[in-house]
Amino acid sequence: MLRAAPVLALVGVVAGILIGEARGAGNGVAAFVACAVALAVVAVARTRTARVLALAVLCLFVGVASMQRALHGLERSPLQPAIDAREEVVARVTLVDDPDASRWSANALVRVDAWTRTSSGEPTGDAGGRRVLASASGDAVERLSLLAAGESMTVTGWLAPLDGFDVRMKWKHAIATLHVLDVTEVGDARDPTLRLANRARTVVMGGSTSLAPIDRAVLAGFLLGDTRAVPPEIKEQFRAAGLTHLTAVSGGNVAFVLAVMAPLFRRLRLGSRAVAAGVVLVVFGTMTRWEPSVARAIVMASIALFVGVLGRPTPALRALVFAATVLLLIDPFLLHSVGFGLSCLASLGIALWSRPITERLRGPLWIREILGVTAAAQIGVAPLLIPVFGSVPLVSLPANLVAVPLAAPLTMWGIVAGAINTVAAPFAPSVPALLAVPTTALLHGLLAVAAIAARVPIAVDGRAVWLVIATVALVAAAGRTRSLRRDARPLPAR
């Protein structure tokens, strides 16, 4: 049973973020003062109800302050005069994410470490760690596309405000677009975690060197959530089949990684096992570039590890509420992330309804569990999925029934194959081709499922959802009426 305090805290944070966004950028001083008052009330309150309400108010003001501060960072920065004037600059930047490149252009979210106005040639200094969207064309495309997150480069280009579709990048803390003209002085990642993660990405994908380019791109989606090279038509097939979640790294992938590492963890004591698992989670999160769904899954897994060491396991629903609250406090802009919202709602649906649905189905347990989890997740994401994408495909239930048993071994085998290839390939050149046999079979099976399911045109839109809700309500009311009438019948005379 989930207590009221965590839920009210989350509601307070969400409400505070929305209020902070409506109020606009600010230093958050007033909100922080209100936080101090609410914290004092929490400390002196004598009843549980008063403490819970004061905690909710505290979280509300923290949400207001965090959102106002985040917006303040977007609107006021050392780069703002150059952005307004669209000045040409030379900047030393570090990639925050991997570049998204095509034949003619490349984009990457970067952090500006230092910059100089080209017109003056004088070093301007620190940029306050602000992020910009580096957009390259021409000869700079190839140089930028070869880099990875954490690596640095010196670029020449001109700054401009975010425009058009790129405005959405402000929710990733980008304050401007840096139109790149030239890339020079490329450097390796300085962060040791990023260096390790980039090396691990190379190892994981090492088992797929002999795959066809499209197969390798799809596999990168399953293993790392990296779908940049997946053709648009295949992405659309997965979306239409309700299988997009398989290429969006989240809780399932985190579980698979921990399962692969389980034989090593079993040799450790409980505390050391939790620490080792935590290190693996941090490296895996860095490998997947801390996508919102990955961050949610890793925070939940970390909570489970921590309370497990304490001998006080916590329900998944409570862990989800704590994880969402913590992540929104760290980055209030996550409230505008569709991926974060879908991940949280899917987890909520699974926590609330997967077991009841599974228990009411008939058939083998493994089939009932897959259907129960899939149906619960679809119910959970429907309130967000329908407004954003217009509909929910009904074919997702049977498609997942076939696809999930293929995706699980594919993900685990992909990780193992990469490790085997790293060790054995230098001594046996035929190893990559042998490792690719099961990978190819599983991948083509999944691609076939997505292609066939995508041809089924039936989907649930907003009107259909209301029809289903009305039908369920009528059936429930009819059942309740029959029950009341049966209870109201007089007992037969003895």
Side-chain angles (χ1 to χ4, degrees), residues 108-489:
L109 189 63
V110 302
R111 182 183 68 249
V112 181
D113 300 319
W115 64 294
T116 301
R117 286 186 170 92
T118 304
S119 57
S120 64
E122 295 293 330
T124 309
D126 186 19
R130 297 301 197 273
R131 297 180 179 185
V132 298
L133 177 65
S135 179
S137 58
D139 295 337
V141 171
E142 183 177 358
R143 296 179 183 178
L144 179 58
S145 62
L146 294 176
L147 301 180
E151 296 180 334
S152 60
M153 59 182 177
T154 298
V155 299
T156 301
W158 54 279
L159 290 164
L162 293 168
D163 186 36
F165 190 64
D166 291 339
V167 172
R168 78 194 191 284
M169 295 301 294
K170 74 175 185 178
W171 301 125
K172 292 188 176 183
H173 301 271
I175 63 172
T177 300
L178 175 58
H179 296 276
V180 178
L181 303 175
D182 191 21
V183 176
T184 58
E185 298 182 24
V186 174
D188 294 333
R190 291 181 297 232
D191 188 331
T193 305
L194 273 167
R195 287 201 302 270
L196 177 60
N198 289 342
R199 174 58 181 162
R201 284 172 67 97
T202 303
V203 169
V204 167
M205 293 305 298
S208 61
T209 53
S210 63
L211 293 179
I214 292 180
D215 291 350
R216 184 176 170 84
V218 176
L219 181 63
F222 278 94
L223 299 182
L224 302 170
D226 185 355
T227 59
R228 292 173 298 164
V230 177
E233 58 271 19
I234 293 181
K235 290 182 181 179
E236 177 58 26
Q237 287 177 355
F238 273 81
R239 190 204 65 79
L243 300 176
T244 305
H245 64 95
L246 297 178
T247 57
V249 178
S250 59
N253 299 78
V254 171
F256 295 148
V257 169
L258 293 178
V260 170
M261 301 298 294
L264 299 177
F265 292 159
R266 290 194 190 101
R267 300 177 179 272
L268 303 174
R269 294 181 178 180
L270 182 60
S272 301
R273 188 184 308 170
V275 172
V279 172
V280 170
L281 290 176
V282 170
V283 173
F284 182 69
T286 310
M287 287 172 61
T288 55
R289 308 318 188 200
W290 293 104
E291 287 293 322
S293 58
V294 178
R296 189 272 312 160
I298 288 179
V299 173
M300 286 186 66
S302 300
I303 292 172
L305 289 171
F306 178 73
V307 298
V309 172
L310 298 179
R312 300 181 61 183
T314 186
L317 186 57
R318 185 177 301 174
L320 171 62
V321 172
F322 280 129
T325 303
V326 169
L327 289 170
L328 286 172
L329 288 175
I330 293 173
D331 184 3
F333 287 175
L334 284 175
L335 196 62
H336 288 275
S337 169
V338 174
F340 180 74
L342 291 175
S343 178
C344 289
L345 289 175
S347 299
L348 177 64
I350 292 170
L352 291 177
W353 301 303
S354 61
R355 180 176 295 179
I357 293 174
T358 299
E359 291 174 348
R360 285 167 173 76
L361 296 175
R362 298 291 182 268
L365 179 61
W366 70 273
I367 293 179
R368 290 190 288 123
E369 286 181 340
I370 293 175
L371 288 175
V373 170
T374 303
Q378 290 294 333
I379 293 171
V381 301
L384 182 58
L385 201 63
I386 291 174
V388 173
F389 297 104
S391 63
V392 177
L394 282 181
V395 74
S396 63
L397 284 175
N400 276 275
L401 182 63
V402 179
V404 169
L406 297 175
L410 173 63
T411 303
M412 297 180 71
W413 170 249
I415 297 172
V416 173
I420 295 174
N421 180 75
T422 301
V423 175
F427 310 100
S430 61
V431 165
L434 294 174
L435 295 174
V437 173
T439 304
T440 302
L442 292 168
L443 269 175
H444 286 189
L446 282 163
L447 290 171
V449 172
I452 294 172
R455 298 173 187 170
V456 179
I458 304 174
V460 177
D461 57 11
R463 292 172 296 179
V465 168
W466 285 113
L467 178 62
V468 171
I469 292 174
T471 303
V472 171
L474 288 173
V475 171
R480 180 62 176 167
T481 302
R482 286 196 301 269
S483 176
L484 291 174
R485 288 177 178 176
R486 184 170 55 252
D487 295 340
R489 291 176 184 174

